[in-house]
């Protein structure tokens, strides 16, 4: 699905993407304001996969995404290759991943996460994750042994 930049700035989110499972925004200069609106829309969507590879969203965009991930109940895959993320953005992403029950794959190749970013990711993924089932609302905990997230850097 291609979403024009002008529609990403709409606070309601891209109307044609509301029912899609995969959103490809790779190589799209959506900027900080676009990421803020996208993350606001993402929180209530049924999106399963988003590709932001080669989009210059930087630490701010990755941090915003990290804050939205725990609220995106269906999101399973995020591609963030070469998007300018550093330790600050990775730290917020890791925190969001640690609180998400649905995430399964994160692609981080070509970013400068460094050893501190890797440590944040490892710590977040070892914690138990309280979550709610998107269909029933029943609380349960995801233990580290049941949690399989592939992070490629």
């Amino acid at each position: 699905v291609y979403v024009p930049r002008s529609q990403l700035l709409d606070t309601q989110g891209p109307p044609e993407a509301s029912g899609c499972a995969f959103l490809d925004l790779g190589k799209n200069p959506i900027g900080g304001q676009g990421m803020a609106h996208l993350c606001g829309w993402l929180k209530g969507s049924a999106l399963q996969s988003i590709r932001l590879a080669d989009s210059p969203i930087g630490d701010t965009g990755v941090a915003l995404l990290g804050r939205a991930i725990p609220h995106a109940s269906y999101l399973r895959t995020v591609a963030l290759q070469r998007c300018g993320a550093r330790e600050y953005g990775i730290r917020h992403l890791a925190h969001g991943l640690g609180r998400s029950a649905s995430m399964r794959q994160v692609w981080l190749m070509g970013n400068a996460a460094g050893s501190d970013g890797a440590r944040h990711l490892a710590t977040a993924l070892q914690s138990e994750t309280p979550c709610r089932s998107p269909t029933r609302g029943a609380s349960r905990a995801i233990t580290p042994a049941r949690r399989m997230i592939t992070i490629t850097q």
Side-chain angles (χ1 to χ4, degrees), residues 14-15 22 36 51 54-55 58-59 71 104 106 123 128 136 140:
F22 176 78
R51 181 178 175 268
D54 300 305
S55 296
D59 270 342
H71 306 286
R104 296 295 177 259
V106 179
T123 301
E128 287 194 10
R136 295 191 192 101
R140 60 188 171 90

Side-chain angles (χ1 to χ4, degrees), residues 55 86 119 128 144 148:
S55 296
R86 301 181 69 80
R119 197 169 14 264
E128 287 194 10
M148 297 289 291

Side-chain angles (χ1 to χ4, degrees), residues 48-59:
Q48 295 176 18
S49 180
I50 187 165
R51 181 178 175 268
L52 291 160
D54 300 305
S55 296
I57 61 174
D59 270 342

Side-chain angles (χ1 to χ4, degrees), residues 7-15 18 37 40-42:
Q7 289 183 355
L8 282 177
L9 299 178
D10 177 8
T11 58
Q12 299 302 309
S18 60
H37 291 298
W41 169 81
L42 184 63

Side-chain angles (χ1 to χ4, degrees), residues 1-4 7-8 10-25 37-38 40-50 72-75:
V1 172
Y2 169 76
V3 181
Q7 289 183 355
L8 282 177
D10 177 8
T11 58
Q12 299 302 309
E16 71 276 7
S18 60
C20 77
F22 176 78
L23 184 61
D24 186 351
L25 294 173
H37 291 298
L38 175 66
W41 169 81
L42 184 63
K43 290 179 181 180
S45 79
L47 193 68
Q48 295 176 18
S49 180
I50 187 165
S73 302
Y74 300 96
L75 190 62

Side-chain angles (χ1 to χ4, degrees), residues 21-140:
F22 176 78
L23 184 61
D24 186 351
L25 294 173
K27 298 183 181 181
N28 191 326
I30 64 176
Q33 186 180 14
M35 275 304 291
H37 291 298
L38 175 66
C39 290
W41 169 81
L42 184 63
K43 290 179 181 180
S45 79
L47 193 68
Q48 295 176 18
S49 180
I50 187 165
R51 181 178 175 268
L52 291 160
D54 300 305
S55 296
I57 61 174
D59 270 342
T60 303
V62 174
L64 288 169
L65 186 61
R67 291 182 194 124
I69 282 176
H71 306 286
S73 302
Y74 300 96
L75 190 62
R76 297 177 58 82
T77 304
V78 175
L80 295 170
Q81 301 97 314
R82 298 167 301 280
C83 66
R86 301 181 69 80
E87 190 271 333
Y88 173 82
I90 299 297
R91 180 177 61 222
H92 287 280
L93 178 66
H95 183 71
L97 290 172
R99 295 174 42 221
S100 171
S102 62
M103 284 298 302
R104 296 295 177 259
Q105 284 188 320
V106 179
W107 298 86
L108 292 170
M109 295 168 289
N111 289 293
S115 59
D116 286 341
R119 197 169 14 264
H120 287 299
L121 289 167
T123 301
L125 298 179
Q126 289 175 0
S127 64
E128 287 194 10
T129 305
C131 62
R132 294 198 171 276
S133 166
T135 55
R136 295 191 192 101
S139 293
R140 60 188 171 90

